[in-house]
Amino acid sequence: MVNPKRRTIRSWVVLGAVLAGLVLISLAWGELMLTPRQLWAGITDHDELAHTVLFQLRLPRVLTGMLVGAALSAGGLIMQAYFRNSLASPDLLGVSSGAAAGAVSAIVLGWTALSLWVLPLAAVVGAVVATLAVLALAQRGASTERLLLAGVALNALLGAITSYHLSHGVALWERNAQLLFWLLGGLEDRSWLHVTAALPIVVAAMVLWPLGRQMDLLSLGETEAQSLGVDVRRLRRTLLVLATVLAATATSVAGIVGFVGLVVPHGLRLLVGPEHRRLVPLSLLGGAAFVLACDLVGKLAGGLRLGIVTALIGGPFFLWLLRRRA
């Protein structure tokens, strides 16, 4: 039997190598293909065209994709610890739906013309409002079952709001194209603004790692964790805040990208075990690699949106998990 520590180190090496390879391929692949020599010349600013393509177009897209993948994966890991269910994800509480509804509302109301920051801020506000609404609906004890039921109801309501905006005034093609972006998710036309907007993900991830041991104890049950010295109420509140920040920020810069928070942490848990201090950094790395891989698949498939690719991969994976647990 392979030692868990050795397996973790091996996973770090493999995921690191895969991520590095995906970054290089993503930077080189596009309408203008770059050779390794051109890549180096662009990085060192010895080729003006390659430098412009890399630093104005492809590098912001790659970095945004990495941050989005890391955030969604970490958010999924948090939700799985929170609900003590390896099939949980941030979508359960309506975070992604709330972020999309906030962004879509800002587009429809014309607020996006005021500043480039309005759209991501509206998405974050929508996600926060959605989470607060779920907590308010499930206030009496805030049990897992009440949170899940409140999340399902709110997801349906927010989805209806987004669909209404999309169907109301179909003639406005340009506006509806923006709305579809938030529904389908994607990394097209990402800029350094989106990279900057995604920086809270890094801060949230740094806060999450020290909570690994408490998350392990929470997985034993609330009563057991409380008896071992964990402030369960404070921990649950902190986890919800972190999951909201991570999912909201990711959705604010890339739209709704589903299944990342389910596929990556669950797969890694099967690989290295349930210890969260190992799972947190691996989930960040694995999520970044998964989103970049899906983005590349979308490019190779003729421009499939990121959200479609992750759904095509995550849907069958979810069904397999259900069959496996049956």
Side-chain angles (χ1 to χ4, degrees):
M1 185 174 179
V2 181
N3 184 284
K5 184 176 181 180
R6 184 176 299 176
R7 184 182 299 173
T8 302
I9 294 173
R10 186 180 301 171
S11 300
W12 263 104
V13 174
V14 171
L15 281 176
V18 169
L19 180 59
L22 288 169
V23 168
L24 290 176
I25 296 172
S26 298
L27 292 176
W29 191 277
E31 292 185 8
L32 175 64
M33 298 294 294
L34 299 178
T35 65
R37 179 176 294 181
Q38 288 174 314
L39 271 178
W40 179 250
I43 293 172
T44 57
D45 202 11
H46 286 88
D47 184 327
E48 185 176 349
L49 177 59
H51 182 81
T52 300
V53 170
L54 284 176
F55 285 89
Q56 297 302 319
L57 299 175
R58 295 183 185 171
L59 189 56
R61 177 172 181 157
V62 167
L63 291 177
T64 302
M66 291 172 61
L67 288 169
V68 166
L72 294 175
S73 179
L77 183 65
I78 291 173
M79 288 292 97
Q80 290 169 16
Y82 187 96
F83 290 110
R84 288 184 288 143
N85 189 325
S86 58
L87 298 181
S89 71
D91 301 332
L92 287 176
L93 296 185
V95 178
S96 297
S97 298
V104 164
S105 299
I107 293 170
V108 171
L109 294 173
W111 294 347
T112 53
L114 301 175
S115 171
L116 292 174
W117 287 98
V118 169
L119 201 56
L121 285 176
V124 171
V125 169
V128 171
V129 170
T131 303
L132 292 176
V134 170
L135 291 177
L137 289 170
Q139 190 62 41
R140 295 180 182 177
S143 67
T144 297
E145 292 76 12
R146 291 180 65 87
L147 283 173
L148 288 174
L149 291 174
V152 169
L154 193 63
N155 265 316
L157 175 62
L158 293 170
I161 292 173
T162 303
S163 298
Y164 170 78
H165 285 317
L166 185 61
S167 62
H168 187 66
V170 180
L172 300 177
W173 183 88
E174 183 177 352
R175 189 199 70 182
N176 281 356
Q178 288 183 290
L179 300 185
L180 280 173
F181 171 85
W182 295 99
L183 295 177
L184 301 179
L187 297 174
E188 292 80 6
D189 301 322
R190 300 300 85 185
S191 67
W192 290 106
L193 169 67
H194 299 95
V195 176
T196 303
L199 286 180
I201 294 171
V202 179
V203 178
M206 291 175 63
V207 174
L208 177 61
W209 187 77
L211 297 176
R213 174 168 167 73
Q214 295 184 54
M215 292 167 70
D216 290 339
L217 297 177
L218 182 63
S219 66
L220 300 175
E222 294 184 13
T223 304
E224 292 80 358
Q226 191 81 45
S227 65
L228 292 171
V230 177
D231 187 341
V232 173
R233 179 173 296 182
R234 180 179 180 182
L235 176 61
R236 285 167 60 91
R237 190 184 306 120
T238 301
L239 292 178
L240 273 181
V241 170
L242 288 175
T244 300
V245 170
L246 289 166
T249 306
T251 306
S252 73
V253 297
I256 297 179
V257 180
F259 289 103
V260 179
L262 169 67
V263 172
V264 177
H266 189 95
L268 289 171
R269 182 177 280 104
L270 295 176
L271 187 64
V272 301
E275 187 178 338
H276 286 89
R277 289 179 70 87
R278 293 176 180 171
L279 283 173
V280 167
L282 283 175
S283 293
L284 296 171
L285 195 62
F290 181 75
V291 166
L292 284 189
C294 290
D295 188 43
L296 275 174
V297 170
K299 289 180 183 179
L300 293 171
L304 275 182
R305 301 304 298 270
L306 177 61
I308 296 175
V309 178
T310 58
L312 288 173
I313 296 173
F317 182 80
F318 183 72
L319 294 175
W320 174 78
L321 288 178
L322 289 178
R323 178 184 176 87
R324 184 173 178 270
R325 290 165 64 95

